[in-house]
Structure formats: structure tokens, C-alpha cells
Amino acid sequence: MKTLLSQFCEEFGAAVSPALTPLREFANVLTSVGETGLLRPEQTGFVAGFHDVSHQLRTLSEKVEEQQAYVLIFGPLKSGKSTLMNSIAAAYVSEVTALPAYPCMVYVSHAPTREFVVSRYNGETQTFTSPASMRMQVTRDHAELADRLRQEEERGRDFDPAQHFPEAIRRIDVRVPAEELKHSGAVLVDTPGLYSRMKFGYDRMTREFRNAAACAIFVVKTDNLFLEQVFAEFSELLTLFSRIFLVVNLDTTKMDLRPDGSLAPSLEREDPVRIIQAFETLSMSSPLKNAVEEGRLRIYPVDLLRAGAQRLQATEARETGLVSPHGDFGSFIGDLTDYLNSTDYLVAFLGDSLRHAEHLLGEGQRLCHHPGVMHLVRRGQELERERDLLRSSLGALDRLQKTDWQARFAGLSTELSEHGAERSEELGARTRDQLRSAVRGWFTSDEGLGSLVDRDAANAFESFQTEWGAEIESGLRERVQGPGAGAKLDADLERDLVTLDMDLTQFTNEGLISVMPRASVKRRVVELDVSGVPVRKGLLDWLLFRTKSSIAKKMFGADGRAQSSLPRALKAKRLGELGAAHFEAEFEAAADQLLPAETTRIAEAVTGDYSSTLAGSLQERFGARRRDAEGRLAAIDAQLARLAQVSHGLSTLEDELERGAAQIAELTRRYGEADPSELVRELVPTETLEEESDQPVEDESPADSEIDHSV
């Protein structure tokens, strides 16, 4: 049978359901993004908001889709809430223990097989089929929650599990075979105990059900009925729910002591009505009195323990509806059923569902523009720009690494030699003077020819190399301070270096440190052909037919170094001015040959040391920059992949939230003024109306409600 109510539920689902998956997925994406470091810990608070809206909207969608009647059960710790749930369901649906309950809501509904689903603030769920396994897990979670709560208290902060401990349990769904709940479509919601240390569970519950269509049951033991603290926040419940049932949990086994020492049944057993009357007369606040007079608050004295036991044990009692002899449980169940089947409840169901959906969709839209979300959007744009720069840098690095940097310094030695040409000529002239002076000095000494060749001449050539090396080094230091550090750079290389924000002069010191001109100095010994020395012949030489060559070899030795000494008189007699001129010419010729070669060699050696070291440093730096850039690029690509999920998810979610909000607004307009009696009337298809338009009209009576909420 299709009614206006069932049509509303279908249209409501069509408006809300498309946003559920994008909302859940976006909340999960934000959670994973927070774990990557894209959000600092203090920036992740808004993520809990998305999980919260996702959870509430899904709960609301399921409630409307299944036309569920939420019955919320409140009360202080150990007031009998769990026992009441067992009594209403006529099935063992909730553990009754002496331990404080976990501060979360427990949703109890019918299912063919027993199942327990634990949902956490971060969106994760766990499913159990064994009550023992579920209790063990919840006990561990409870201890960890208490520890986290103490930590936040020590920091002086109000504990919010969604932010400070997202792994905390948000709700537990208990699905068990319970025929009473199956027939009624009711979902019992056991709320956290009031006035407990973990009161945040109750506060969050009141926020979640502020716009939810539900009635409430407040359970209190007679021992606490007259305590002002118990009803301190009851006025807030009166603003949340249009109907509240106050169940006073009696203990009919209690005995009172008589003056004679005997025991007699207490007032809770003999006349519980007097207790209620005393409460109404002596302790009830003005808001509670007004609620009673308006019919929004009703009070029922019930021994829940006995009622629960009888409901669980007696099949006949469950079928007929037991009225406990120890309280008005039957009246309570009847009134609860009547309210859930009333048009007042249906109107509240539609209105509150629409208001709740409007609020949640609006909250989702507001969260989509949260600074944290906008930060991620901006961060994505920043990373895209950084990625483009890194790709450009890698391209520049690729070209720079392939460059032959040694070749870029190839002309440096020639430039330095040309720049120092005047100094080179000066040093060459001085070296020649040193060689001539050495020859003249040798003729005035008694030293052999070896001292002239191996010492004096070699020292002159070594001095030339040393001073020329110093000149080249000085010129190099001056030359490499300019742009390019001495290298020939074309426009492309300069552009690539600018892309990397690199200046080659950053590496000049490394190159100059490696320059050691002294290491390039080599010992140069002139090889003289003594056979050509113009030796003078004496009379005996002529008589013995001695040649000048044989005389020179005898005088100097075959290699010119055999004689360690030669008297100056002998040098003057045998060599004279012609001999001195000969040796000067020999060393002059050697200088003409050696000095230009040494000039080029030393310039190339010095610049080669510099350029090879600098080129190596460049390649090492390029390699390091490449590794850093590739590593950073990989990290950015991974972050952008996550942020792309954020961007796509945000776009999809915003579209669905906007569409859903528009449809909810339309449903509010269409159903806002609906006649409550029309909500349960069967809708007649248009075709049927046309066919029957000519038929006689018979009296009609309103159809029964589509769903019977009898409990």
C-alpha cells in the first residue's frame, strides 16, 4: 500500500542518499590527507566535522527509509536503562552489568541474526557476532578512552573525542532477533549515563538529536527521584522532544524496618502511586509541571527488573501485553505505542526529518568552505606550481649534466698566456741573463761542467717555471671572478643556470683550491754535445794528432759530467772566449726551445687543475640537485594525487549537497502544510481515479497507518 508517508520517505531518500557516498568518501580522503602531513595536527579538527555530518546524515537516511521510530532512553548511570530496553523489546538486547557503560549511544534494532557493529569517530567500523568478543573490545577501548581523557584534562582542555581521539567508539549497533521491535519498527537508543565523568557523550547526543524525530524515556530509581541534580538538565530534554515518558524504576523487594523490629514491604511495593504524588507535590519543577499538564510528560512507576524478567520468560505474556502487578508497565507500553502510531508523531517525523536534513546539508556545505579545506585547495595550487618548477629544473639539469664542461674551459689557458705574454717575455729574458751569468761564473770557478748544467742552468729553468706558474695562478684568480667562472657560456646554458638559481662563481674556490703551480714545475737539464766545444790545441796535441773532439771528451768526459772539477786556468787555456760564447749559445738555444713549451704546459696544467675540479664539483652538485628534485617531485606527485582526490571529492560533494538542499527545500514546501490525516491514507493512482470517476461514490473511512509502531 502506497501512502503519502511512504511517498515522502522515497522522495526524502532520493534527496539525501546521493550525498551519502561522496560525503563518506570525502571524509575518508581528508583523514588520509591528514596522515600525509599536508595538514598540521592543529588543522585537522574540521575533518571530524565531515565524519560527524556523514554519520548523522546516514543515520537519518536509514531512519526515514525504514520509517523507524527512534526511542531514546536517558537516565543516570545504573538507573535501569538496559533493563528497560530488554523489557520493551521482550528480548535480551542489552547487557546488564555493574560496570560503567562506554559513553556512546547504543542502537538496538531487530535483525534475523545477532550482530554487533562498533562505529568510530574516524568512520571505521568493526562487526562482531559474539557478545563476548564485542565486550572484550569495548572494555579495552574504554580503558584507552579514559587514559586519553585524563591526558587532555592535564592539558587543561575540554575533551572532544572527534578531535583528540578519533579512534574512540561513536556508537554501537546491536541487532538481535526481537519480534517486538520488528513489528513496531522501533529502534531503542540507549544514551550515555548522565552526570558521569565522560559527560561529553551525552552532550554530543543532544546535539545529534536536536532535530531528530523521536520520543524520549527518562529512567530514574526512586532513591534518586527527589535529588535535584537528577533533573538539573531535564528542561533541555523537554525542548528536544515533544513527548517524554518518565519511568520511575521501583524496587519492590525492598523492605522497611518497623518500630517493633519486624520487616514490612516498602512503600515502593505497597503504594508506588504515593511516591509519584510526593514527587509531583514536593520536588517537581515548574517546567516539569507544565509538561505534565500539557500531556508532553507522563510518569509511570514500574519495577523494571520484574517486568523485564516476566517479558523475557512468558511467551503468553509477550503476546497479550503484560501488566506488571508491581507497576504500570502495561500502561506505559500502551501509551508509548499510541504515541508512535499517532498523527502527532507522523507530523513530528516529517517536520523533524526535514529540519534535520536541512541542518546537516547546510552544515556540510559550510564545512566545504572551511579554512582547512581552502588550505588544501591552495596547497594543491602551490604544489602544482612547484611541480612545474621542478620539471623545468630537471630539464635544465639534464642539459647541464650532458655539457662537456672541460671543453667550456678549453680556451682559458690561451687567454691567460696571452694576457701574461709581456710577463712571459720578461721572465724569459731574465732566465737567459741567468744562463749567461752562470756560464761566466763557471769560467771563473774550478767546478766541472756538471755544476753548470745540473745546477745553475737547471735552477734558472726551474725559477722560470715557478714564477710563470705564480703569474698564471694570479691571472686565473682574477679571470674566474667574473661571470661564468672562466667558462664560455652560451645563452641556453646561462638560462639553465638561472633556472636552477646557480652561479658558477659559487664553485671557483673549490677549483682554485686544487690549483698548485709548484706541482707543475719540472727539473730541466740541458743535454750538451761536448764534441762540438771549440777546444784549443796545444803543441803536444798537434804532435800526437789529437782532435778537438777527443780533447773535449777527455776534458769534460763523454757526457760532459765526468770531471767533478776543472781548474779555471785550464778553462782559460783550453776554452777561452770562444768556449764561453759556445756555451752561451747552447743555453740560449735550449731556452728558445724550452721556455715557450713550458709557458704553454704550465698554463694548461694550472687551468686544467682548476677546470677539472670545478667541472667535477658541478657534476656532483647537478647530481645532488637531480636526486633532490626527483625525490621532491615524487613526493609532490603523491601529494597532488591525494589533493586531486580532495578536489574531485569536494566538487562532487558540493554538487550533491546543493542538489540535496534544493530538494529538501522543495519537500519542505510541499509537505509543510500537509493534513496529518492524509499522511496514512492510501494513494490512488491517477488512472484508477479516471476509471472510477463515473462510478457511484461510497463512504470511505481513513486507512490504517501503514506501519504499526506497537511495542
Side-chain angles (χ1 to χ4, degrees):
M1 180 179 71
K2 189 176 184 64
T3 64
L4 193 61
L5 176 62
S6 61
Q7 176 178 290
F8 165 80
C9 293
E10 291 176 3
E11 293 176 339
F12 185 92
V16 171
S17 296
L20 295 177
T21 298
L23 187 55
R24 184 188 70 250
E25 291 178 349
F26 189 65
N28 292 336
V29 166
L30 289 177
T31 299
S32 65
V33 165
E35 296 169 353
T36 64
L38 285 167
L39 288 170
R40 295 190 300 274
E42 64 271 18
Q43 293 178 313
T44 58
F46 74 96
V47 178
F50 280 100
H51 282 295
D52 186 54
V53 172
S54 175
H55 169 81
Q56 290 195 56
L57 195 61
R58 184 170 298 277
T59 299
L60 175 62
S61 178
E62 292 172 355
K63 177 178 76 73
V64 175
E65 179 183 1
E66 299 176 14
Q67 299 180 33
Q68 295 173 331
Y70 279 4
V71 181
L72 272 72
I73 303 175
F74 297 86
L77 288 172
K78 313 315 298 176
S79 60
K81 298 193 304 298
S82 298
T83 305
L84 175 63
M85 294 174 68
N86 293 331
S87 302
I88 294 174
Y92 195 71
V93 297
S94 179
E95 288 291 328
V96 181
T97 69
L99 296 176
Y102 193 99
C104 70
M105 286 176 286
V106 179
Y107 290 70
V108 179
S109 59
H110 167 78
T113 58
R114 184 180 295 268
E115 181 182 67
F116 307 92
V117 180
V118 174
S119 301
R120 304 182 184 277
Y121 284 93
N122 59 11
E124 296 180 358
T125 61
Q126 285 177 283
T127 301
F128 302 89
T129 56
S130 165
S133 299
M134 187 269 295
R135 285 197 301 272
M136 187 179 300
Q137 180 63 53
V138 172
T139 300
R140 287 196 294 264
D141 285 331
H142 205 171
E144 189 170 3
L145 176 65
D147 184 58
R148 292 297 186 93
L149 177 59
R150 281 191 294 270
Q151 293 177 14
E152 295 305 318
E153 287 178 341
E154 291 172 358
R155 296 186 179 104
R157 295 191 295 204
D158 292 333
F159 181 71
D160 183 350
Q163 295 187 36
H164 303 132
F165 188 34
E167 296 80 9
I169 297 174
R170 181 189 188 116
R171 65 181 277 178
I172 300 175
D173 285 275
V174 178
R175 298 162 186 162
V176 294
E179 293 300 319
E180 294 288 346
L181 299 183
K182 176 182 178 181
H183 294 317
S184 67
V187 176
L188 306 181
V189 184
D190 188 9
T191 61
L194 301 182
Y195 323 119
S196 67
R197 181 165 170 269
M198 300 185 184
K199 187 177 181 294
F200 61 84
Y202 169 75
D203 293 339
R204 180 169 291 273
M205 177 276 305
T206 58
R207 291 199 302 271
E208 290 188 11
F209 283 91
R210 189 168 299 280
N211 295 307
C215 63
I217 303 173
F218 191 85
V219 185
V220 60
K221 287 187 175 181
T222 52
D223 293 341
N224 299 325
L225 186 61
F226 296 92
L227 295 178
E228 183 178 350
Q229 179 192 16
V230 171
F231 294 93
E233 299 184 42
F234 202 87
S235 58
E236 184 176 2
L237 299 181
L238 292 174
T239 64
L240 286 174
F241 306 102
S242 56
R243 186 65 57 86
I244 296 180
F245 299 86
L246 175 58
V247 175
V248 180
N249 188 7
L250 305 174
D251 181 3
T252 55
T253 64
K254 185 184 294 185
M255 304 292 286
D256 289 337
L257 182 65
R258 289 182 173 179
D260 60 1
S262 62
L263 296 177
S266 68
L267 191 63
E268 291 186 43
R269 177 174 180 177
E270 293 299 312
D271 195 358
V273 174
R274 286 178 58 190
I275 297 177
I276 303 303
Q277 291 174 343
F279 168 68
E280 292 177 343
T281 302
L282 303 176
S283 298
M284 186 176 288
S285 65
S286 177
L288 267 66
K289 283 183 177 293
N290 293 336
V292 170
E293 293 172 358
E294 294 168 1
R296 294 191 301 114
L297 174 64
R298 297 186 181 181
I299 306 175
Y300 305 87
V302 181
D303 186 332
L304 291 178
L305 191 62
R306 289 181 178 271
Q310 294 180 23
R311 292 270 286 181
L312 290 173
Q313 292 173 1
T315 302
E316 296 81 8
R318 288 199 300 272
E319 292 176 351
T320 59
L322 174 67
V323 177
S324 169
H326 304 286
D328 200 9
F329 189 76
S331 297
F332 161 70
I333 289 294
D335 291 347
L336 176 61
T337 300
D338 290 343
Y339 173 71
L340 295 179
N341 285 326
S342 68
T343 55
D344 289 344
Y345 173 76
L346 293 180
V347 171
F349 180 86
L350 265 66
D352 290 346
S353 296
L354 289 169
R355 284 192 297 275
H356 200 185
E358 179 184 9
H359 167 74
L360 292 176
L361 293 170
E363 179 66 11
Q365 290 176 308
R366 185 190 67 78
L367 285 170
C368 286
H369 294 87
H370 188 278
V373 177
M374 295 300 101
H375 167 78
L376 291 176
V377 173
R378 290 192 301 272
R379 184 58 180 148
Q381 296 169 347
E382 293 169 359
L383 289 174
E384 286 177 352
R385 289 193 292 270
E386 186 178 353
R387 179 186 60 186
D388 293 341
L389 290 175
L390 283 171
R391 288 174 175 173
S392 177
S393 297
L394 285 170
L397 284 167
D398 186 58
R399 290 185 292 273
L400 291 170
Q401 284 184 299
K402 291 178 180 178
T403 298
D404 184 355
W405 286 97
Q406 288 285 96
R408 294 288 168 176
F409 292 96
L412 185 57
S413 63
T414 302
E415 291 180 16
L416 293 175
S417 295
E418 292 175 350
H419 181 72
E422 183 177 346
R423 177 61 174 162
S424 175
E425 292 177 2
E426 179 185 327
L427 291 174
R430 192 177 70 179
T431 301
R432 288 177 172 85
D433 289 342
Q434 289 175 339
L435 291 171
R436 283 191 292 269
S437 296
V439 171
R440 296 296 177 180
W442 179 73
F443 270 90
T444 62
S445 72
D446 294 330
E447 294 179 334
L449 185 59
S451 65
L452 175 61
V453 174
D454 294 340
R455 184 189 65 197
D456 298 337
N459 286 346
F461 286 119
E462 185 173 333
S463 177
F464 173 84
Q465 295 177 65
T466 300
E467 294 195 46
W468 176 243
E471 177 67 20
I472 290 296
E473 181 182 14
S474 176
L476 177 66
R477 289 183 179 277
E478 182 180 347
R479 172 68 179 80
V480 299
Q481 297 306 318
K488 296 293 185 182
L489 302 178
D490 55 31
D492 290 338
L493 286 178
E494 289 180 347
R495 185 165 49 251
D496 287 338
L497 289 170
V498 169
T499 297
L500 296 174
D501 193 24
M502 289 180 64
D503 183 352
L504 294 189
T505 57
Q506 299 171 352
F507 302 89
T508 55
N509 286 337
E510 295 179 46
L512 291 173
I513 288 173
S514 67
V515 173
M516 293 182 291
R518 289 290 303 173
S520 301
V521 175
K522 295 184 178 181
R523 192 76 173 171
R524 298 301 187 187
V525 177
V526 178
E527 297 294 336
L528 295 177
D529 183 7
V530 297
S531 63
V533 177
V535 181
R536 295 174 181 171
K537 290 184 178 183
L539 178 61
L540 186 59
D541 296 326
W542 288 106
L543 292 175
L544 296 176
F545 301 101
R546 294 173 180 165
T547 64
K548 291 183 178 182
S549 175
S550 63
I551 295 171
K553 289 181 179 180
K554 183 177 180 181
M555 184 177 177
F556 301 116
D559 60 357
R561 297 175 177 82
Q563 300 297 333
S564 60
S565 65
L566 283 174
R568 64 175 71 101
L570 180 61
K571 295 176 185 176
K573 177 183 178 181
R574 289 287 189 179
L575 300 174
E577 195 62 36
L578 288 176
H582 174 81
F583 283 121
E584 288 178 359
E586 285 286 317
F587 285 121
E588 183 75 21
D592 290 343
Q593 180 181 359
L594 284 174
L595 294 184
E598 293 302 294
T599 300
T600 301
R601 182 184 66 79
I602 291 176
E604 290 179 347
V606 170
T607 56
D609 290 344
Y610 168 79
S611 62
S612 62
T613 300
L614 191 144
S617 297
L618 281 175
Q619 292 293 359
E620 184 178 346
R621 179 68 62 87
F622 293 151
R625 287 285 294 269
R626 173 176 288 278
R627 289 189 294 274
D628 290 344
E630 289 175 341
R632 179 57 183 159
L633 185 60
I636 286 177
D637 285 339
Q639 290 179 326
L640 283 175
R642 290 291 182 89
L643 290 175
Q645 292 179 312
V646 172
S647 179
H648 175 73
L650 178 62
S651 176
T652 302
L653 179 58
E654 285 184 313
D655 290 344
E656 291 299 341
L657 291 174
E658 183 178 0
R659 181 203 54 76
Q663 292 188 15
I664 289 297
E666 174 61 18
L667 291 179
T668 301
R669 184 190 66 78
R670 287 171 47 203
Y671 288 94
E673 299 179 358
D675 186 343
S677 63
E678 295 296 324
L679 293 174
V680 294
R681 186 186 298 276
E682 181 178 5
L683 294 179
V684 180
T686 305
E687 295 81 359
T688 304
L689 290 174
E690 292 176 351
E691 292 174 0
E692 297 180 354
S693 60
D694 296 330
Q695 300 297 323
V697 179
E698 298 180 1
D699 291 338
E700 297 180 353
S701 58
D704 293 333
S705 175
E706 185 180 32
I707 290 187
D708 181 7
H709 288 295
S710 301
V711 285

